[in-house]
Amino acid sequence: MHPAVQDTATASPAIDARTTIHPITDAPGAHTPTSPPTPIASASTYAPKPAPPAPALLPRAAQQAPPAAHLPLIAGQAEKPSTKLPTSHDLFSMGASVSQWCMTYSPYTSSGNCKATSDIRADVASIASKGFSSIRIYSTDCNGLPSVASAASSHGLNLILGVYISDSGISSARPQIQEIISWAGHNEGRWQAVEMIVVGNEAVFNDFCTAQDLAAFVTEARSAFRAAGYSGPVTTAETVHVLTDHRDTLCPVSDVVAANIHPFFNGQVPAPDAGRFVADQLARLEQDVCPGKEAWNLETGWPKKGDANGKAVPGTSEQAVAILSIRTEAGGRSAFFSFVDDEWKGEGELGVERNFGCGDLFL
């Protein structure tokens, strides 16, 4: 996550517009900036289905969290089936749970060093035990791909892989494409475990590249992955605001539309309304921003400590309320951020960047 303070100019929480930028790098390490890539034309073989209807929103009273004594959340509890956010597409069945799909994971210690393989395996085992069906990683550094993938395979977890674009630009990200291909080879079993490949994480939002260069890179990456045997969705992850501003450029090259939807960074959204905010933004992405594309929330959560952002107040109880709200309204389409606090990051402007760890809220 490289979140920035999101404070809209209007009273409506339906707009995801971050205005103050304080990026944090998920992949430590300096790289030498290089020139933008040359676009490579490629037609995707992924066939998205028509846009689904808008998600049905729960009555506001139904969003209220249970008393604190009932928290943390119980990840595997039985729930009534819901169709408010369809969770399948033509080639995969993503979002296997109505309320719980994915957890984000970065293989770093609190000091920013790479975790030992044994620690990664223990973390992945814990994520699986909490009822998640998928795990999202942002890049291939720290030997994360083979280590996380091996552990995920042992516990039946699917993978959302990332090609991370840093402030060094797109050229420095290109080797990650080959790393993913080398890991998978032509092993159909490994590719089948990959639900999605995400090329760039808020790269345009953080001014690491232009929307035009990102679109060309997504196309280039898809072409390479298709040639290597991967037939699933390839996309990028940006804020809803960026996707809206650059819809004509980014929607055509994205097999599914993917956004990082953080209710906390909209100062009009209190913790109990976090899930409604996420569901509204997913519907907006599917209906207005990229019609005909399925929408996925690839990063979402709430900080347990830091400074308030308008009506969005961090805190342990507030985090539990917000996570439960998101889980109830859009958990089957959301990747929860993050498994543990990212103590290796800077605190950020509101002092919240390290404090999104929420794995302990899922039993």
Side-chain angles (χ1 to χ4, degrees):
M1 169 184 166
H2 320 288
V5 178
Q6 173 179 307
D7 192 5
T8 57
T10 69
S12 171
I15 304 297
D16 176 13
R18 306 183 192 183
T19 57
T20 303
I21 301 174
H22 46 99
I24 303 296
T25 302
D26 258 318
H31 303 281
T32 304
T34 52
S35 59
T38 301
I40 297 178
S42 173
S44 170
T45 59
Y46 177 78
K49 67 182 183 182
L57 297 177
L58 296 178
R60 189 165 295 276
Q63 299 180 67
Q64 300 305 311
H70 291 275
L71 300 169
L73 312 182
I74 300 175
Q77 66 189 41
E79 298 187 23
K80 294 181 179 180
S82 169
T83 57
K84 61 182 178 183
L85 287 174
T87 57
S88 63
H89 56 79
D90 293 342
L91 296 181
F92 286 84
S93 179
M94 298 197 296
S97 166
V98 170
S99 65
Q100 204 169 301
W101 169 46
C102 182
M103 176 66 77
T104 69
Y105 181 73
S106 296
Y108 310 132
T109 66
S110 59
S111 61
N113 295 318
C114 298
K115 283 190 172 184
T117 299
S118 58
D119 293 332
I120 292 174
R121 295 190 67 85
D123 289 345
V124 174
S126 178
I127 291 170
S129 73
K130 296 174 183 295
F132 291 94
S133 62
S134 302
I135 184 170
R136 180 191 179 191
I137 59 176
Y138 292 84
S139 68
T140 60
D141 67 334
C142 281
N143 203 35
L145 179 54
S147 297
V148 172
S150 175
S153 177
S154 297
H155 296 282
L157 289 175
N158 293 317
L159 299 165
I160 298 175
L161 303 182
V163 175
Y164 185 73
I165 300 170
S166 71
D167 57 1
S168 296
I170 286 173
S171 293
S172 295
R174 278 198 175 90
Q176 296 173 63
I177 296 175
Q178 188 54 51
E179 288 183 57
I180 292 173
I181 291 172
S182 296
W183 162 77
H186 288 275
N187 186 321
E188 183 177 351
R190 286 187 174 179
W191 282 130
Q192 284 297 318
V194 178
E195 283 189 305
M196 187 188 304
I197 299 178
V198 184
V199 181
N201 186 67
E202 298 184 5
V204 174
F205 172 72
N206 285 312
D207 292 324
F208 293 161
C209 65
T210 67
Q212 291 74 21
D213 287 343
L214 177 60
F217 189 45
V218 171
T219 300
E220 174 186 341
R222 178 189 294 106
S223 179
F225 291 133
R226 293 284 183 262
Y230 176 65
S231 59
V234 178
T235 189
T236 190
E238 287 288 348
T239 65
V240 175
H241 181 69
V242 168
L243 290 169
T244 301
D245 286 351
H246 300 283
R247 68 183 79 186
D248 292 340
T249 301
L250 297 178
C251 290
V253 302
S254 300
D255 294 326
V256 296
V257 56
N260 294 342
I261 305 174
H262 280 281
F264 178 81
F265 293 112
N266 184 303
Q268 299 297 324
V269 181
D273 293 340
R276 177 178 289 267
F277 176 82
V278 170
D280 283 348
Q281 297 247 48
L282 285 169
R284 179 168 174 247
L285 285 168
E286 291 185 332
Q287 296 170 2
D288 301 328
V289 179
C290 297
K293 308 278 187 178
E294 286 186 345
W296 297 88
N297 178 15
L298 291 188
E299 196 180 276
T300 194
W302 197 271
K304 64 172 69 74
K305 185 170 64 174
D307 299 330
N309 180 34
K311 295 180 181 179
V313 179
T316 302
S317 60
E318 287 84 358
Q319 183 190 53
V321 168
I323 294 296
L324 178 59
S325 178
I326 296 169
R327 182 176 178 269
T328 300
E329 292 273 2
R333 284 290 189 96
S334 296
F336 288 95
F337 180 89
S338 61
F339 176 55
V340 295
D341 286 343
D342 294 317
E343 296 178 1
W344 50 273
K345 289 184 175 181
E347 291 184 350
E349 185 172 340
L350 291 174
V352 301
E353 302 292 359
R354 301 175 177 177
N355 306 315
F356 280 78
C358 63
D360 59 342
L361 294 178
F362 299 88
L363 297 181

